[in-house]
Amino acid sequence: MTVKQLTMPELVAGCVELGIPGVGLWREPVAEFGLEATAKLVRDAGLTVTTLCRGGFFTAIDPAERAAALADNRKAIDEAATLGTDTLVLVSGGLPQGSKDLHGARERIADALAELGPYAASNGVRLAIEPLHPMFASDRCVVSTLSQALDIAERFPADQVGVTVDTYHIWWDDTAPAAIARAGAGGRIHTFQLADWITPLPQGVLTGRGQIGDGAIDMREWKGYVEAAGYTGPIEVELFNDELWAGDGRALLAQTAQRFVQHAA
Amino acid sequence: MTVKQLTMPELVAGCVELGIPGVGLWREPVAEFGLEATAKLVRDAGLTVTTLCRGGFFTAIDPAERAAALADNRKAIDEAATLGTDTLVLVSGGLPQGSKDLHGARERIADALAELGPYAASNGVRLAIEPLHPMFASDRCVVSTLSQALDIAERFPADQVGVTVDTYHIWWDDTAPAAIARAGAGGRIHTFQLADWITPLPQGVLTGRGQIGDGAIDMREWKGYVEAAGYTGPIEVELFNDELWAGDGRALLAQTAQRFVQHAA
């Protein structure tokens, strides 16, 4: 998604050329290129699919909506297995229209995971709850901190449910380093993602993720926390940024690789 | 600030007419109408000045900037005393340009309070650290949660430094109810403010505070927390909203009073 202006073959070729060993994929571009075709393309290029984004949206109260969400998440798990990744990232969902009940919404997430966790594990896929920045609490994700994510994840085995640690969402939180240690001790850091915090935020705040090094976050500090917690997996860079998307995708991929080396390697 | 399109006399007349017993004032409109003139106007109308907004911006590293900030805060304390309010709300400041050190910035806030707290108390004014929503952490306020605010406030006597509890900034935080209890037990809830959370957020996110009842926050739930913590002081409504500001100020004041009764009285 960082370089969404690239086609799937351009993305894969760019990763190979730049020596980027793995890539996190999103469901929409995978579907557009074709699931099997994407799996073959990436496999033939020798790339690891680090994660698939995204499942989730578990907070609906309406039974038909809930059933549709669960079915779609089973499909996402199948897709992850086909792509050969062991991790499906979850954006858990916001408050249903008119609801003010954050606690209830969080409990419905746990209910959904009780159904989906065993199905995921039986397909070799781990679910990774991603706490989203509190500015998304009402409309995207009622799980706003790593501690909240762990409170839910720890009800399930770690090979079923863990967390996504994303610098952009948690950098402001002075309790997050302790939560990372807690996640690591439980074997629940299923992926680690980087983006920088820049302001002013754009209208709707979704596409304001900054290029590494452009903002307020010390990437090495956070990398240090996840490493100290025992994490040895891939580090993903995930930018959503209208200005970056408007430019040349190959140049953006190269810049991102260079910034990663400069600020996080 | 909720009705910033009104002049000071219009604001005061509107409060009297609607039976609103007190008003929180901001320094800029007070300065514009005149400090002594505002104090007399409000006093003659029988209104309480609930708080003065705002002091703060304590995070500069540059010595001249720091000295200027401290001098300006002493002036704000004097203004609060002249207006007859016992509470100065603090917006503590963001990261200095180029800095990524949240911890250091928070410590500089504590350093500033050590200088200002006794001066405030000797003038009958309490300082109220306001945790701002984490989306403001880099550019306005590195104090993002009520727990962080209390960690700083509790280094000082409660008649010098306490906190502002504002629903808009903390509604997403499942640890905030316990922090409110902690603040109340220490006599540190110096004011309680209401605004609702609505989306999409506007560009820059500052002027997106929603009218009570329009958004995701259960006002009675949060009022219950502060009351259970022993708070018996005024409840302020603080909206910054470009759309509301573009309309008729008297109608907005009346609507706000009506919504307060409907959702929080």
Side-chain angles (χ1 to χ4, degrees):
Chain A
M1 195 53 71
T2 299
V3 286
K4 77 166 181 178
Q5 62 268 65
L6 295 183
T7 65
M8 196 64 78
E10 286 170 345
L11 169 67
V12 168
C15 287
V16 170
E17 188 183 313
L18 291 161
I20 299 169
V23 62
L25 297 176
W26 277 55
R27 294 179 71 195
E28 295 78 1
V30 167
E32 198 178 317
F33 189 69
L35 176 63
E36 297 288 350
T38 303
K40 182 175 175 358
L41 179 75
V42 175
R43 193 169 55 235
D44 289 353
L47 293 179
T48 302
V49 180
T50 51
T51 59
L52 181 65
C53 269
R54 58 195 190 188
F57 296 94
F58 297 131
T59 52
I61 294 171
D62 176 73
E65 272 185 68
R66 274 192 75 71
L70 289 172
D72 187 58
N73 275 276
R74 283 191 195 91
K75 189 161 171 284
I77 291 163
D78 296 342
E79 292 166 16
T82 300
L83 291 166
T85 180
D86 62 2
T87 302
L88 177 66
V89 174
L90 303 179
V91 173
S92 297
L95 289 171
Q97 188 66 34
S99 169
K100 300 175 198 274
D101 180 11
L102 285 171
H103 176 74
R106 290 173 187 144
E107 287 306 306
R108 288 194 297 282
I109 295 166
D111 292 345
L113 292 173
E115 293 195 37
L116 293 170
Y119 182 76
S122 72
N123 282 277
V125 175
R126 310 170 304 177
L127 305 174
I129 303 171
E130 180 164 17
L132 257 56
H133 192 285
M135 68 188 177
F136 297 115
S138 70
D139 55 3
R140 286 187 180 271
C141 185
V142 296
V143 180
S144 302
T145 65
L146 201 49
S147 296
Q148 290 174 353
L150 286 167
D151 288 344
I152 298 172
E154 287 170 356
R155 301 186 196 184
F156 308 96
D159 70 339
Q160 292 184 12
V161 186
V163 297
T164 296
V165 176
D166 183 319
T167 56
Y168 187 79
H169 295 304
I170 64 170
W171 74 281
W172 55 271
D173 181 0
D174 60 348
T175 73
I180 289 173
R182 172 182 161 196
R188 291 183 193 272
I189 304 177
H190 288 352
T191 184
F192 176 45
Q193 301 181 331
L194 307 181
D196 215 336
W197 181 268
I198 55 173
T199 57
L201 291 162
Q203 200 273 347
V205 305
L206 189 61
T207 55
R209 291 171 68 99
Q211 177 62 276
I212 295 174
D214 282 352
I217 306 176
D218 184 335
M219 299 296 161
R220 281 210 174 77
E221 179 187 346
W222 292 95
K223 190 185 173 210
Y225 295 138
V226 301
E227 286 178 349
Y231 183 72
T232 57
I235 303 177
E236 302 181 298
V237 178
E238 185 182 65
L239 314 179
F240 313 141
N241 186 302
D242 288 319
E243 269 181 55
L244 297 178
W245 284 335
D248 178 72
R250 292 293 291 274
L252 173 56
L253 191 60
Q255 181 196 52
T256 303
Q258 181 264 323
R259 292 293 186 94
F260 182 88
V261 170
Q262 187 181 346
H263 294 279
Chain B
M1 195 54 71
T2 299
V3 286
K4 77 166 181 177
Q5 62 269 63
L6 295 183
T7 64
M8 195 63 78
E10 287 170 345
L11 169 66
V12 168
C15 286
V16 169
E17 187 184 312
L18 291 160
I20 299 169
V23 61
L25 297 177
W26 278 55
R27 293 181 72 195
E28 295 77 2
V30 167
E32 198 178 316
F33 189 70
L35 176 63
E36 297 288 350
T38 303
K40 181 174 178 356
L41 179 75
V42 176
R43 192 170 55 235
D44 289 353
L47 293 180
T48 302
V49 180
T50 51
T51 59
L52 181 65
C53 270
R54 60 194 189 190
F57 297 94
F58 297 131
T59 52
I61 295 171
D62 176 73
E65 272 185 67
R66 274 191 74 70
L70 289 173
D72 187 58
N73 275 276
R74 283 192 196 92
K75 188 159 171 284
I77 291 164
D78 295 343
E79 291 166 17
T82 300
L83 291 166
T85 179
D86 62 2
T87 303
L88 176 67
V89 174
L90 302 180
V91 172
S92 297
L95 289 171
Q97 188 66 33
S99 170
K100 300 175 198 275
D101 180 12
L102 285 171
H103 176 74
R106 290 173 186 143
E107 287 305 307
R108 287 194 297 282
I109 295 166
D111 291 346
L113 293 172
E115 294 196 35
L116 293 170
Y119 183 77
S122 72
N123 283 277
V125 175
R126 309 171 306 177
L127 305 174
I129 303 171
E130 180 164 17
L132 256 55
H133 192 285
M135 68 189 177
F136 296 115
S138 71
D139 56 3
R140 285 184 183 272
C141 185
V142 295
V143 180
S144 301
T145 64
L146 202 49
S147 296
Q148 290 173 352
L150 286 167
D151 288 345
I152 298 172
E154 287 170 354
R155 302 186 196 183
F156 308 98
D159 70 339
Q160 291 184 12
V161 186
V163 297
T164 297
V165 176
D166 183 320
T167 57
Y168 187 80
H169 296 304
I170 64 170
W171 74 282
W172 55 271
D173 182 0
D174 60 348
T175 72
I180 288 174
R182 171 182 161 196
R188 291 183 194 271
I189 304 177
H190 288 353
T191 185
F192 176 46
Q193 301 182 332
L194 307 182
D196 215 335
W197 181 267
I198 55 173
T199 57
L201 291 163
Q203 199 272 347
V205 305
L206 188 61
T207 56
R209 292 171 68 99
Q211 177 62 275
I212 296 174
D214 282 351
I217 306 176
D218 184 335
M219 298 297 160
R220 281 210 174 76
E221 179 187 346
W222 291 96
K223 190 185 172 207
Y225 296 137
V226 300
E227 286 178 348
Y231 183 73
T232 57
I235 304 177
E236 303 182 298
V237 178
E238 186 183 65
L239 314 178
F240 313 141
N241 187 301
D242 288 320
E243 269 180 56
L244 298 178
W245 284 335
D248 178 73
R250 291 293 291 273
L252 173 56
L253 190 61
Q255 182 198 50
T256 304
Q258 181 265 322
R259 292 293 186 92
F260 181 88
V261 170
Q262 187 181 347
H263 294 278

